[in-house]
Amino acid sequence: MAHIKTSDSKTASLRVYEQVRNQISVGAHKVGDRLTEGALAEQFGVSRTPVREALQRLASEGFVEVLPHAGALVKGWSQGDVREVFDIRAHLESMAAGLAARRATAEDVAVLQSYCDTMKQLSQMPTRDVPKISEQNRAFHAEILRIAGNRRMADIALNLMDLGFLVRSFTKFDQGNILRSSSDHQNLVEAIRHGDERWAEAIMRSHILAAASIFTGTAEDDAQARMALRPVGTTPPK
Amino acid sequence: MAHIKTSDSKTASLRVYEQVRNQISVGAHKVGDRLTEGALAEQFGVSRTPVREALQRLASEGFVEVLPHAGALVKGWSQGDVREVFDIRAHLESMAAGLAARRATAEDVAVLQSYCDTMKQLSQMPTRDVPKISEQNRAFHAEILRIAGNRRMADIALNLMDLGFLVRSFTKFDQGNILRSSSDHQNLVEAIRHGDERWAEAIMRSHILAAASIFTGTAEDDAQARMALRPVGTTPPK
DNA sequence: ACTTGACTAATTGTATACGATCAATAGGTT
DNA sequence: AACCTATTGATCGTATACAATTAGTCAAGT
């Protein structure tokens, strides 16, 4: 049996990559699960080759860790990992906010304002649609990175941001946190509108470090994450 | 013709990756060259599969760009690209230097000092062994990143540093630049030895921005690089 | 001269097969 | 029991074959 014709024009590698990535981020694969090439190939109805490529990409982006002959492990996050990622983001994105403040055009500011407004609306609705808020949040940050004009930096920062979704503790974002975050965004728009680099940098820094403290302060639910995690820092390539 | 048994224990993918990477960095493949999977496979006596993996890794690291059906292009560098990379490095590595100043043990400082001494010796020899100096330089920076204790950041920064070898304008490092660089390193060791975060950060920042100006200031040799250049209005050093 | 369109050769994308390698397990020895 | 060693089964690393896609070419039409 050969071809169930997939009207999907993308390559199989990409489809598998996106699917697995999504499965991980919604928790379908828990931390420490072993993803073997054969199993995934069967699940998606493709051969091992595209699965391999997908896993390698996921590994290079930090979502999984491939062990030589033991399957790919879904990576867990220690508090140290969270701290690492948010530290880097705090530096890179505050730099980006500063650049954005210097470079933003009127249209850029308008776009930012619109993202900000949408998020404000969402955050005030009684039922918090956390995934949607999260999406708007990502778009807002991505837009600032775009305006900053350093493509490489944007790629790095966005990847780090997406990695954060591995820690799917959306519940940690209570109403108060969301409102504060939304307010931070509005301040960022103002700082950028006025071209105030220092202010923009400072807001972004505190904005991200605040998010970091939410995670590191209350990281309780993944006991399994910590268990599955080998004492960090030691990737043992022989 | 099947297997020439290579006593090399590494995987073929890795060997191909390293070889191609090296070939690019020493200029055996010029900017814009098309590397096809088949040709590389034949050249290295392996099948296309490991070549594919090597190329994908090289692409994810920015050394080449894979075009869907036209082979992998060896990437060139515009002045904008150089500016981007050094901007990011300036932020990440100054952050690392600050962390290192806070965390370094006596042994750490000793190691740094030894790298620094070696480099000082090399830089004072009449015949500049630029590759060796470059290697020591990399080791020095890598050590600071290691001491900083943020492995992710170290990975990112090292990759950016290695990317710099694509711009193989070693000749641009004249005696003066090398001596200044060596002196920067000694100052960095002092700052870290005294646990002076701010000082370490500042030195690293200026150290890297100085290197950036060497590249951007005299990037003349790639005509196509200039063509790809956009009047990117980023950070005019005042 | 310039565009258009079909054709061809080259290249990648994917499937499959097989051997190599390693983790896990069982069994024997001290 | 604790330790070592041989076996085994699962999993990967690589080679090879084939299908799908597209870049490049060239001739015909405007």
Side-chain angles (χ1 to χ4, degrees), chain A residues 11-13 45-50 69-70 238:
Chain A
T11 66
S13 301
V46 298
S47 78
R48 272 180 47 217
T49 311
H69 284 277
K238 31 168 99 161

Side-chain angles (χ1 to χ4, degrees), chain B residues 47-58:
Chain B
S47 80
R48 271 181 47 219
T49 310
V51 171
R52 246 181 109 69
E53 298 187 351
L55 284 181
Q56 281 167 352
R57 178 166 175 192
L58 287 167

Side-chain angles (χ1 to χ4, degrees), chain A residues 168-206:
Chain A
R168 303 172 332 293
S169 4
F170 284 148
T171 58
K172 286 172 187 164
F173 288 119
D174 58 23
Q175 186 84 3
N177 287 327
I178 292 177
L179 286 177
R180 176 175 56 174
S181 178
S182 180
S183 152
D184 283 348
H185 283 201
Q186 183 58 62
N187 286 335
L188 265 169
V189 175
E190 290 309 320
I192 292 174
R193 191 198 313 275
H194 291 93
D196 191 328
E197 298 176 38
R198 298 299 181 84
W199 189 23
E201 285 177 15
I203 298 170
M204 184 62 94
R205 178 178 219 80
S206 75

